Each structure stands twice: as structure tokens, then as C-alpha cells.
């Protein structure tokens, strides 16, 4: 199966970037399987319409309630109906700036799955937790996936917080060790073998080496995905 190439625009780019971004990917990517671009909610419909049949569209978040008085929130069903097929849940920026706990993450995963979305479930330790990564990741995985019985639409993304947007990429040895650990937790606790993406300062210069690793199921890219040519180079390196 093709490894996943996922872009996370975060709160960057604009409506005016969408047509040229999609057109570039369309023209320059021979293999568009499992290529997903996650964009801000407000741009989902426009992006999904432009990308229809070219690449997959994803959201960067969703709320866990189905509907109701939650001013400013967007349900998983709304995300799906805007044309997205994926959603990122539990990104470290959501955990850090918006108080998302493992319990909230778990509810969001359940809501996204029941709306028919594929979930990119993010986990990762902070710099001060690096020595202790096993405990942190184990808890994020076990609590985040609590109650899930069907794992077929879940992809895990390991993103060490200290490597996100910092230019500091985890070493190949770090990635091998941590991905093997995550794989073992998923197997032991849930009996599943899920794709595990790596994220954190992935760029065209390092993506091939990272994606060549057996336990790496693809990459989740922030800064280096904002320009279509750089993202396409990463996608071509798998
Ligand atoms: P980065 O972000 O590639 O800019 O480090 C990755 C992410 O946060 O998903």
C-alpha cells in the first residue's frame, strides 16, 4: 500500500491559493494515492470541490458533539458534508493551545469515525518528556483510542512536539525506536497494526530517508506543505 502523504496547512494560506495549489499537484504528481491536504474549516468546501478526484481533503479538527449550542464549533458531520474525507485529531497545537485532553481527543475520534471520516490521530511527547516518551505515548494511545472497536479508518501520526515547526527533525534512530514502540503498544493493547506517520520538520531534503523506514507509514507535513512544489517533492519521495 502507498505510504500516506498528509499536509497540514494549519492557519496558513488562503482561498486564493487553492486553485493553483491543486492544479500543481494535479499536474506534477503521478501517484496521488493517499495524498491528503488538511485545511482550515472555512476553506474545506472550496478545497474539496477543487481537489475532487485529485487529492483527498482533510480538516484539522472537529468537535465531538453532533450538534447544538457550541458557538464557533464544527461537527464531524459538517466536516464530512463539506467534502472532507479525513480529519486530524489531537494535534499537539490543539492539546497545547486549546486544552485538548486525551479524553476530549477520544470523544472526537469516536465522533469523526461515526460521521464516516478517516482519522489522523496525533500523538507526541514534549521536549521535557523525551526521556519518558514511552509513558506519555502509551497514555495518549490507550486513552485516545479507548472504546474504539473498528480501527480501519484510523491512522496514527507520531509528532514529537520538540520537532514541530522547529527545524529539528528527530533522528532516524529516534524515529525507528519510537515507531517500533508505538507499533508494539497498538498490537498489545488493541491487537491492531495501523499506519504510523511521522511528523515534525519533514521537508523535501529528509522525507525520502524517513519514508524508507519500514515502520513509517508516511508523513504529516506542516511548514513544508504550504507551497505546492515543496509538498509535491515530498510526495514524490515515497
Ligand atoms: P512542521 O509541522 O512540519 O511544520 O514541523 C508538522 C505538524 O505540526 O503537523
Amino acid at each position: 500500500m502507498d505510504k500516506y502523504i498528509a499536509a497540514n496547512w494549519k492557519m496558513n494560506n488562503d482561498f486564493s491559493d487553492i486553485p493553483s495549489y491543486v492544479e500543481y499537484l494535479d499536474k506534477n504528481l503521478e501517484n496521488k494515492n493517499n495524498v491528503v491536504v488538511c485545511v482550515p474549516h472555512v476553506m474545506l468546501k472550496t478545497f474539496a470541490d477543487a481537489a475532487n478526484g485529485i487529492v483527498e481533503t482533510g480538516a484539522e479538527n472537529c468537535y465531538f458533539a453532533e450538534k447544538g449550542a457550541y458557538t464557533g464549533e464544527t461537527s464531524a458531520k459538517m466536516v464530512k458534508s463539506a467534502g472532507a474525507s479525513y480529519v486530524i485529531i489531537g494535534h499537539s497545537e490543539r492539546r497545547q493551545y486549546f486544552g485538548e485532553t486525551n479524553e476530549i481527543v477520544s470523544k472526537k475520534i469516536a465522533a469523526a469515525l461515526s460521521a464516516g471520516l478517516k482519522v489522523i490521530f496525533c500523538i507526541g511527547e514534549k521536549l521535557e518528556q523525551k526521556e519518558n516518551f514511552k509513558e506519555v505515548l502509551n497514555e495518549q494511545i490507550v486513552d485516545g483510542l479507548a472504546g474504539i472497536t473498528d480501527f480501519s479508518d484510523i491512522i496514527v501520526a507520531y509528532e514529537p512536539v520538540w520537532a514541530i515547526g522547529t527545524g529539528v527533525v528527530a533522528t532516524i534512530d529516534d524515529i525507528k525506536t519510537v515507531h517500533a514502540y508505538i507499533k508494539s503498544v497498538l498490537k498489545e493493547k488493541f491487537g491492531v497494526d495501523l499506519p504510523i506517520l511521522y511528523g515534525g520538520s519533514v521537508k523535501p531534503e529528509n522525507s525520502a530517508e524517513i519514508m524508507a523506514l519500514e515502520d513509517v507509514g508516511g508523513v504529516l507535513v506542516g511548514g513544508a506543505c504550504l507551497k505546492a512544489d515543496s509538498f509535491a517533492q515530498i510526495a514524490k519521495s515515497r
Side-chain angles (χ1 to χ4, degrees):
M1 190 163 101
D2 288 311
K3 297 201 174 190
Y4 289 85
I5 313 289
N8 177 8
W9 278 15
K10 306 192 179 181
M11 202 170 74
N12 296 296
N13 286 351
D14 211 332
F15 283 96
S16 59
D17 297 304
I18 294 173
S20 57
Y21 192 95
V22 172
E23 195 188 321
Y24 189 93
L25 297 184
D26 191 21
K27 287 202 177 129
N28 291 277
L29 281 189
E30 225 168 87
N31 180 3
K32 300 181 189 71
N33 282 337
N34 293 345
V35 175
V36 186
V37 182
C38 301
V39 301
H41 284 157
V42 70
M43 292 185 222
L44 277 176
K45 175 90 176 91
T46 309
F47 194 96
D49 286 348
N52 190 16
I54 301 171
V55 293
E56 302 286 341
T57 302
E60 302 171 9
N61 177 36
C62 69
Y63 196 53
F64 54 74
E66 265 182 45
K67 59 177 180 174
Y70 302 102
T71 303
E73 289 295 337
T74 305
S75 72
K77 196 171 153 199
M78 290 170 185
V79 163
K80 173 85 177 167
S81 68
S85 45
Y86 285 78
V87 61
I88 297 172
I89 304 280
H91 191 279
S92 65
E93 286 149 18
R94 301 289 322 164
R95 296 176 188 262
Q96 188 177 346
Y97 305 128
F98 303 99
E100 284 195 11
T101 60
N102 290 331
E103 194 192 341
I104 294 173
V105 168
S106 155
K107 286 174 160 181
K108 289 188 172 190
I109 293 175
L113 293 178
S114 62
L117 291 165
K118 296 191 172 82
V119 171
I120 301 174
F121 165 44
C122 296
I123 55 173
E125 81 286 0
K126 296 183 189 150
L127 185 57
E128 64 271 22
Q129 299 168 324
K130 195 163 184 263
E131 299 283 296
N132 225 4
F133 76 90
K134 290 189 175 174
E135 200 182 306
V136 175
L137 298 179
N138 182 70
E139 193 174 314
Q140 289 178 343
I141 296 167
V142 170
D143 293 356
L145 298 179
I148 304 292
T149 48
D150 183 353
F151 291 81
S152 45
D153 285 336
I154 301 183
I155 296 163
V156 176
Y158 168 59
E159 300 201 301
V161 180
W162 45 271
I164 296 180
T166 57
V168 182
V169 66
T171 65
I172 291 296
D173 278 347
D174 277 340
I175 300 174
K176 274 191 194 162
T177 308
V178 180
H179 279 238
Y181 175 70
I182 295 169
K183 199 178 156 97
S184 74
V185 173
L186 290 168
K187 184 97 221 153
E188 268 168 41
K189 302 281 168 49
F190 299 99
V192 290
D193 185 14
L194 305 179
I196 306 165
L197 316 190
Y198 170 78
S201 297
V202 173
K203 42 187 187 271
E205 297 76 31
N206 60 24
S207 57
E209 193 185 8
I210 294 170
M211 272 192 289
L213 300 174
E214 199 189 324
D215 287 342
V216 170
V219 287
L220 177 55
V221 189
C225 82
L226 298 179
K227 297 256 181 294
D229 57 344
S230 152
F231 184 57
Q233 275 187 59
I234 293 171
K236 283 191 213 167
S237 73
R238 68 178 161 178

